[in-house]
Amino acid sequence: MAKGMLIDLTRCIGCRGCQAACKQWNDLPAEPTSNWGSYENPPRRSANTWTTVTFNEVSEGDRLDWVFAKRQCMHCEDPACAAACIVGALRKTPEGPVVYDDHKCIGCRYCTLACPFGVPTFEWDTPVPYIRKCTMCVDRQAEGMEPACAKACPNEALLFGEREELLQEAHARLEAHPEKYVDHIYGEKEVGGTSNLYIASVPFDKLGFPTLGPEAIPRYANVAMAAVPPTIVVVSAAMAGIYWITKRREQMMSQKVSVPVEQWPKPDQDKED
Amino acid sequence: MTAETHVELNRSKQPFPVVTTSILGVLMAIGLVVAIIRFINGIGAISNLSDGRAWGLWISFDLYCGVALAAGGFTLAATVYILNLKKYYPIVRSAILTAFLGYVMVIVALMVDLGQPWRIWHIIIYWNPHSPLFEVGWCVLLYTTVLALEFSPNVFERFNMQTPLRLIRTIQIPLIIAGIVLSTLHQSSLGSTLLLMPDKIHALWFTPILPILFLLSAISVGLAMVILETSLASKGLGHQVDLDILAGLGKALPYLLGLYLVVKLGDLLVAGELDLMFSSGLYSLLFLVEIVGGVILPLVLFALPAVRLSRTALLWSSLLVVLGLVLNRLNVSLIALAPRPGTMYVPHVLEFAISIAVVSAGILAYILANRYLPIAEHEHPAGHRPVVEVG
């Protein structure tokens, strides 16, 4: 069964305990930051900051909400990063997490462009760089523990468990409190579904979540890649065929030009030509 | 042998271009220093690339443009060896040289762009057949090998090595066909790489048929590049190529450009997005410049007999196709590709230094190859009796 996380933004109090826990567990150094007018700090995720809480001022009708949203890898069911990776260093595990293999990566950064959520980050300032992103604490899961962020959350905004069960729980919460939630489980259908699911009190586009359709990102690339073997066969055959025709025509032409009709060689003499 | 004496004559006629090579050498040295800084301090030290935009000038210009501009190699090889149009035989070697140098330049640029280029061999043992970039990587690897073999007779002839020369000639046709197949895959696969960014590329450029558009535009620009490069070499290196040959290539371009235009606009029509050509502000402007200036205008020009009778007009018309393609590749992979929210990318001056150094190295290699190898004038290989005799 595949694991995932249900992130209920109505329960998030913006304490950023998850951010600190992630850094602690993964041994990630602090980043030099400055006050840029928001509690959101550092302003962007990076190779040293795999999860951040965003602080969003959302006006809905006559209401002004301050909504906090923990962002990290969504752990897609059909991840664009894994489809993109030239050496297969990124892959979706049956257990849920999308994991990365340091030993394969050549640093091409195609994953960072393919990801629709802007997740994979690169080590820009080192001579031997790697890609970094949230692992859903796959190492903690192997020891039977929940991810560090979920463990740290003081208000149960992060619920770790079986994705199917979390999805039922999300539906149950939306049904029980339609006045409290928008009717949208972000990640249930987006890009073919993601391991991590969100529910919130305001529309997700107002929280900076990309608006995405239900089809998996690799759909077009899959078609193009499936066309490769037939293309090899068709183009090779076509070129060989055209070559044969043009060569044959040349032979016929040169015979016609150089030999008068009455002197054309008999069929059995062809080989001597 | 007459070919030999021609080469000798050319060599004695043209003094060694000291100034040009010196300038190119300085530009290469600057790039080398920048590359050394990059390998000590990381890519961030010499570029404005970031997580918001992890591919920039090097990928858009050196890879996307570079590979397309090298398409003259396979289009000319197909014209001469498969379609058997021997009229174009005198320029096929120069086209293959350009393609070979182009691919080597792409690889050199990738050595700077890749995070861990010393691991490039990983693509041979760690396969991901779902990745368009996996296809790109294998095509670069295999086609560069094929181009090296297609180019090798220049070296073998120069040093009169008869055995490898005979060997290459026996596998010539399979080699040419392999090159065409690999080029078809490679040109289209660069379009495929962008298919993983359907929500980020502006709708004027994003389409599921990007691989087909990349292939079609590459074929056009391949011929245009051969015209341009041959014209420039005629001026700079003193290898005069018959106007008839250039005009013949020019005659094919209206059909090729027309095909691209019909497919591109047809695709927009089917998608119901034709109105975007005029309603997307700066993107509309870039798109129209690319299509009108780089496709429609050269299509009309090449269709005019007067243009095809003038070396100057041919040169400028082919330059339009080349610039149109460069703008197209920059548009689709750089300008119309949205960065992550809250980030932006403008190439760093040192990024330009790398690209300029790579192009300089290519030009220098082209000059030297034309000077010291039998590129422009060469004997016809066995089994290929010349149809048009040099009179």
Side-chain angles (χ1 to χ4, degrees):
Chain A
M1 287 290 276
K3 299 287 186 186
M5 200 150 23
L6 174 59
I7 303 176
D8 188 337
L9 297 185
T10 65
R11 302 189 67 100
C12 180
I13 54 170
C15 72
R16 298 188 297 187
C18 50
Q19 242 179 267
C22 177
K23 288 228 174 199
Q24 273 183 343
W25 178 258
N26 294 299
D27 276 332
L28 300 173
E31 295 194 38
T33 59
S34 56
N35 189 338
W36 62 293
S38 167
Y39 285 95
E40 199 173 315
N41 229 351
R44 259 180 289 285
R45 275 167 279 141
S46 72
N48 289 328
T49 306
W50 300 350
T51 185
T52 51
V53 175
T54 66
F55 290 68
N56 310 273
E57 287 158 31
V58 183
S59 57
E60 280 284 280
D62 54 357
R63 225 175 59 203
L64 179 70
D65 285 337
W66 203 19
V67 185
F68 319 117
K70 176 189 185 293
R71 302 292 298 275
Q72 73 296 307
C73 176
M74 296 293 286
H75 298 280
C76 303
E77 301 286 305
D78 188 353
C81 61
C85 184
I86 185 169
V87 288
L90 286 153
R91 83 192 153 85
K92 175 77 174 174
T93 58
E95 295 78 25
V98 174
V99 296
Y100 167 76
D101 186 346
D102 275 22
H103 296 102
K104 290 183 179 173
C105 181
I106 64 172
C108 75
R109 313 184 294 283
Y110 189 20
C111 53
T112 71
L113 283 124
C115 174
F117 301 104
V119 168
T121 50
F122 184 70
E123 296 177 327
W124 293 99
D125 299 314
T126 145
V128 187
Y130 294 94
I131 290 292
R132 294 289 175 238
K133 71 169 197 69
C134 159
T135 65
M136 211 198 275
C137 283
V138 70
D139 48 350
R140 285 174 61 91
Q141 284 193 48
E143 301 296 322
M145 295 185 285
E146 61 186 328
C149 56
K151 177 80 178 168
C153 183
N155 204 31
E156 293 180 337
L158 308 177
L159 199 58
F160 174 74
E162 296 293 333
R163 183 178 186 270
E164 288 311 307
E165 290 170 18
L166 294 174
L167 199 52
Q168 285 173 16
E169 173 64 21
H171 279 291
R173 289 189 193 180
L174 296 194
E175 266 169 50
H177 296 284
E179 77 290 349
K180 195 171 152 191
Y181 295 100
V182 289
D183 187 19
H184 183 183
I185 301 171
Y186 193 92
E188 181 186 15
K189 297 203 173 74
E190 272 76 9
V191 294
T194 59
S195 290
N196 287 343
L197 306 164
Y198 285 85
I199 49 177
S201 58
V202 294
F204 285 95
D205 58 333
K206 299 202 168 170
L207 301 172
F209 286 66
T211 304
L212 297 162
E215 298 112 341
I217 298 292
R219 61 191 181 279
Y220 299 121
N222 284 344
V223 174
M225 293 309 290
V228 170
T231 306
I232 296 175
V233 174
V234 170
V235 177
S236 313
M239 289 303 138
I242 295 169
Y243 174 73
W244 185 81
I245 292 168
T246 55
K247 246 336 186 223
R248 180 99 184 112
R249 195 166 59 188
E250 185 187 65
Q251 282 170 359
M252 310 266 282
M253 293 291 272
S254 66
Q255 279 179 354
K256 268 182 210 163
V257 170
S258 58
V259 186
V261 178
E262 58 270 22
Q263 290 176 21
W264 276 12
K266 295 193 175 77
D268 55 314
Q269 290 175 314
D270 270 356
K271 282 169 196 160
E272 292 176 30
D273 199 353
Chain B
M1 214 170 282
T2 47
E4 262 314 297
T5 45
H6 274 284
V7 173
E8 293 300 333
L9 272 175
N10 270 328
R11 267 182 220 154
S12 52
K13 242 191 301 188
Q14 297 278 329
F16 190 84
V18 180
V19 177
T20 313
T21 47
S22 305
I23 294 170
L24 294 172
V26 169
L27 293 173
M28 287 163 64
I30 294 170
L32 186 66
V33 172
V34 175
I36 290 170
I37 298 171
R38 172 248 174 276
F39 280 103
I40 294 171
N41 293 330
I43 296 173
I46 61 157
S47 76
N48 283 340
L49 295 171
S50 71
D51 293 322
R53 170 45 66 79
W55 283 0
L57 181 74
W58 297 330
I59 295 293
S60 290
F61 180 72
D62 298 57
L63 179 68
Y64 283 107
C65 294
V67 169
L69 296 178
F74 90 97
T75 45
L76 251 284
T79 307
V80 170
Y81 295 104
I82 303 300
L83 295 178
N84 206 14
L85 300 173
K86 294 197 175 127
K87 175 172 131 186
Y88 302 102
Y89 192 79
I91 52 169
V92 70
R93 282 200 179 187
S94 148
I96 287 172
L97 168 68
T98 315
F100 178 54
L101 291 178
Y103 270 71
V104 173
M105 285 155 71
V106 165
I107 292 173
V108 171
L110 283 178
M111 292 303 106
V112 176
D113 185 81
L114 285 177
Q116 298 199 35
W118 48 88
R119 283 183 168 184
I120 188 67
W121 57 275
H122 279 196
I123 67 168
I124 299 169
I125 56 166
Y126 300 122
W127 285 32
N128 179 15
H130 295 290
S131 169
L133 205 58
F134 172 78
E135 186 189 353
V136 170
W138 271 91
C139 286
V140 171
L141 182 70
L142 294 176
Y143 188 47
T144 308
T145 310
V146 167
L147 280 170
L149 290 173
E150 287 180 2
F151 174 75
S152 65
N154 292 305
V155 181
F156 297 147
E157 279 173 22
R158 174 75 177 77
F159 297 103
N160 202 19
M161 299 157 80
Q162 289 302 324
T163 314
L165 205 51
R166 269 197 301 276
L167 200 68
I168 285 290
R169 279 174 189 167
T170 38
I171 60 164
Q172 188 178 39
I173 294 303
L175 206 57
I176 297 287
I177 293 180
I180 295 166
V181 173
L182 287 167
S183 289
T184 305
L185 293 178
H186 190 205
Q187 298 293 349
S188 59
S189 66
L190 287 177
S192 306
T193 57
L194 298 168
L195 293 182
L196 277 172
M197 307 157 202
D199 304 293
K200 295 175 188 159
I201 298 172
H202 192 277
L204 273 173
W205 288 275
F206 185 83
T207 158
I209 64 161
L210 265 177
I212 295 168
L213 291 172
F214 265 54
L215 176 63
L216 291 177
S217 53
I219 295 172
S220 295
V221 85
L223 290 189
M225 194 63 189
V226 172
I227 298 176
L228 181 66
E229 164 224 319
T230 313
S231 305
L232 291 175
S234 295
K235 287 182 193 292
L237 302 170
H239 298 151
Q240 196 75 324
V241 171
D242 286 348
L243 180 61
D244 186 39
I245 292 177
L246 300 182
L249 294 178
K251 209 167 182 177
L253 272 167
Y255 299 101
L256 294 169
L257 291 168
L259 179 63
Y260 173 81
L261 189 66
V262 166
V263 175
K264 175 66 209 172
L265 296 183
D267 181 64
L268 280 178
L269 179 71
V270 171
E273 291 166 348
L274 273 177
D275 58 307
L276 292 178
M277 285 198 293
F278 307 102
S279 61
S280 307
L282 178 67
Y283 293 117
S284 297
L285 182 68
L286 286 167
F287 182 83
L288 290 173
V289 170
E290 172 195 321
I291 291 290
V292 176
V295 182
I296 297 175
L297 185 58
L299 186 159
V300 173
L301 287 171
F302 279 115
L304 300 171
V307 169
R308 298 201 303 270
L309 286 172
S310 154
R311 284 182 190 274
T312 315
L314 280 169
L315 191 157
W316 287 102
S317 304
S318 54
L319 184 64
L320 279 179
V321 180
V322 170
L323 292 178
L325 179 119
V326 169
L327 181 59
N328 169 260
R329 296 301 195 261
L330 293 182
N331 278 340
V332 69
S333 68
L334 197 67
I335 302 167
L337 174 63
R340 287 183 186 174
T343 64
M344 63 174 290
Y345 167 75
V346 176
H348 193 279
V349 64
L350 295 183
E351 286 177 64
F352 284 104
I354 292 287
S355 289
I356 290 170
V358 171
V359 173
S360 300
I363 295 173
L364 183 62
Y366 186 87
I367 292 173
L368 294 180
N370 268 294
R371 203 173 165 79
Y372 297 113
L373 294 174
I375 305 289
E377 325 221 358
H378 51 92
E379 51 179 330
H380 293 269
H384 282 269
R385 275 172 296 156
V387 165
V388 186
E389 276 295 351
V390 188

